[in-house]
């Protein structure tokens, strides 16, 4: 059993957050400390600690997360102007929360990487 974390608590509504979308598999919510005018996080409802833990059986889940990120970009009107999806993995990337998440960033010209 994986340990609970702050994102699992958001999925289960044990702590408040601005949830934009939720279904049986995934949740999308506003980042508490936005790094761009548009900043949302797409997470699986089940705990996957990082990208390193995805399995073949998760392929539909990962595709659903990506398709939903694109739908959110459309809804938030950054689909045409452009946006960035980021998945941090482990310490050197700066991953803080041990629960797989895709950042959706946009609404301004983002710095080159
Ligand atoms: P990471 O650095 O792990 O890729 O990103 C974690 C993100 O989660 C950060 O951008 C951080 O601001 C956000 N975050 C951390 N704790 C909370 C929280 O309790 N609520 C929300 N909405 N976002 C959080």
């Amino acid at each position: 059993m994986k340990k609970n974390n702050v994102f699992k608590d958001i999925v289960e509504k044990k702590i408040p957050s601005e949830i934009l979308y939720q279904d049986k598999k995934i949740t999308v919510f506003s980042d508490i400390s936005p790094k761009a005018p548009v900043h949302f996080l797409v997470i699986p409802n089940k705990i996957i600690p990082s990208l390193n833990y995805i399995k073949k059986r998760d392929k539909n889940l990962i595709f659903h997360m990506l398709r939903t990120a694109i739908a959110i970009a459309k809804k938030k009107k950054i689909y045409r102007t452009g946006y960035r999806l980021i998945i941090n993995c482990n310490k050197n990337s700066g991953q803080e929360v041990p629960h797989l998440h895709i950042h959706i960033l946009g609404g301004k010209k983002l710095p080159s990487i």
Side-chain angles (χ1 to χ4, degrees), residues 36-85:
V38 178
H39 190 174
F40 293 98
L41 299 168
V42 185
I43 67 170
N45 293 343
K46 71 172 184 177
I47 297 174
I48 300 176
S50 79
L51 195 59
N52 287 349
Y53 289 83
I54 61 169
K55 304 283 184 230
K56 207 167 185 178
R57 64 170 178 265
D58 296 319
K59 70 179 183 196
N60 289 341
L61 173 66
I62 303 301
F63 186 71
H64 181 41
M65 289 171 68
L66 284 171
R67 291 285 300 171
T68 302
I70 297 165
I72 298 294
K74 270 189 184 153
K75 190 180 166 87
K76 292 294 163 185
K77 305 199 183 324
I78 57 170
Y79 177 79
R80 292 196 184 285
T81 51
Y83 58 95
R84 183 174 293 161
L85 303 184

Side-chain angles (χ1 to χ4, degrees), residues 17-48:
S17 70
E18 285 175 30
I19 293 182
L20 191 67
Y21 175 81
Q22 187 168 47
D23 63 25
K24 281 185 179 163
K25 299 284 179 193
I26 67 171
T27 301
V28 183
F29 56 98
S30 301
D31 195 292
I32 204 168
S33 172
K35 316 303 184 297
V38 178
H39 190 174
F40 293 98
L41 299 168
V42 185
I43 67 170
N45 293 343
K46 71 172 184 177
I47 297 174
I48 300 176

Side-chain angles (χ1 to χ4, degrees), residues 84-101:
R84 183 174 293 161
L85 303 184
I86 295 176
I87 300 176
N88 289 322
C89 183
N90 285 351
K91 205 172 63 176
N92 279 357
S93 72
Q95 182 183 1
E96 288 171 11
V97 181
H99 189 127
L100 178 65
H101 48 284

